[in-house]
Amino acid sequence: MTTTAAPTIQGIHDCWNRIGVSGDHSCEKLQQFVHCRNCDVYAGAAQRNLQRPVDAAYKEEWAAHFRKPADDGAQLDSSCLVFRIGREWLSLPTSAFLSVAPQAKPHRLPHRNARGLAGVVNVGGKLYPCIALGALLDIDEAETEVRTGRHTFARLLLVQWEGQPYALPVADLHGLLRYAAASVQAPAATINKGLSRYLTGVVSHDGMQIGCLDAGLLGYQLARTLR
């Protein structure tokens, strides 16, 4: 909003710009106050400026501004954590997450070869089953995306479904994103079938196409890896 400037008070002498700290420093009061902002003259001018009269046009412009109805645009009613696996930017609802941890090497489990089960990892003295989402979602993790001007943050995402925690290694972590559920678009037909079956839609943000994973379906598949 562009507002019309209110009239200035007549009689404010900006001595600070002439003989004060912004001028030639010749003011005798500088020896006592060191800086103009500590001076009673400067404080008095500020007080008079705040009490300056406001003309009718200025009042009317602001009144018209506040009479306008509230913006009923898309509400940011959803939130997710955005991460990358291979070249795919994906997300899960924030409610599914326990925390984010540094990378840790998983230890293989003997006689367990379920698809996606990489083993167990120790995070803060607690063991978590480690699930490789790349294998579960048919994503080639050898393919990477290089984005200039930012760092890459490989992490472990600690999530939980139906009381069971899991650790999900990711190649990069973008962070939290709030978005409007109404802005979610259908996944592109070019997405591989292994991944597309887990997507509820796609969100566009900061030049990225972020796949929204179906938390319920993914949670069911994570539980299957432990059976």
Side-chain angles (χ1 to χ4, degrees):
M1 176 181 180
T2 302
T3 58
T4 304
T8 59
I9 285 285
Q10 297 296 324
I12 291 183
H13 302 294
D14 58 338
C15 55
W16 52 89
N17 288 325
R18 293 181 285 103
I19 59 175
V21 293
S22 298
D24 60 10
H25 293 76
S26 63
C27 180
E28 296 178 354
K29 291 191 175 186
L30 282 178
Q31 185 174 359
Q32 176 186 357
F33 294 113
V34 181
H35 196 285
C36 294
R37 61 172 171 260
N38 303 318
C39 177
D40 53 348
V41 175
Y42 187 88
Q47 186 67 26
R48 290 195 301 276
N49 187 48
L50 290 174
Q51 295 175 347
R52 68 191 184 277
V54 179
D55 63 22
Y58 183 82
K59 293 179 181 179
E60 178 57 33
E61 188 171 359
W62 276 105
H65 170 74
F66 288 113
R67 281 197 300 266
K68 292 179 181 178
D71 183 9
D72 294 327
Q75 299 296 316
L76 303 180
D77 54 3
S78 301
S79 65
C80 62
L81 187 68
V82 180
F83 53 90
R84 180 175 58 79
I85 299 175
R87 296 181 60 88
E88 302 291 344
W89 286 99
L90 305 169
S91 69
L92 280 167
T94 52
S95 58
F97 289 89
L98 297 173
S99 62
V100 177
Q103 274 192 316
K105 184 178 180 180
H107 300 276
R108 298 288 300 179
L109 293 172
H111 314 297
R112 301 295 297 270
N113 57 358
R115 182 182 182 187
L117 181 60
V120 295
V121 291
N122 186 327
V123 179
K126 184 176 180 179
L127 294 179
Y128 294 81
C130 184
I131 312 296
L133 286 183
L136 204 61
L137 304 177
D138 289 332
I139 298 174
D140 184 358
E141 297 190 60
E143 294 186 16
T144 58
E145 179 184 88
V146 178
R147 299 185 70 202
T148 59
R150 68 181 303 275
H151 297 288
T152 298
F153 298 95
R155 292 290 188 270
L156 280 178
L157 306 183
L158 304 181
V159 299
Q160 181 171 278
W161 276 280
E162 298 183 352
Q164 172 63 55
Y166 303 88
L168 311 177
V170 298
D172 198 358
L173 180 63
H174 180 75
L176 293 173
L177 172 66
R178 294 188 63 199
Y179 64 96
S183 67
V184 177
Q185 302 171 346
T190 55
I191 297 177
N192 73 71
K193 292 183 179 180
L195 173 59
S196 62
R197 65 187 292 258
Y198 287 94
L199 296 181
T200 59
V202 174
V203 173
S204 299
H205 172 73
D206 195 22
M208 300 181 293
Q209 295 297 308
I210 303 166
C212 301
L213 292 170
D214 186 323
L217 179 57
L218 184 61
Y220 172 76
Q221 292 299 328
L222 293 179
R224 288 189 62 184
T225 64
L226 302 184
R227 294 174 184 170

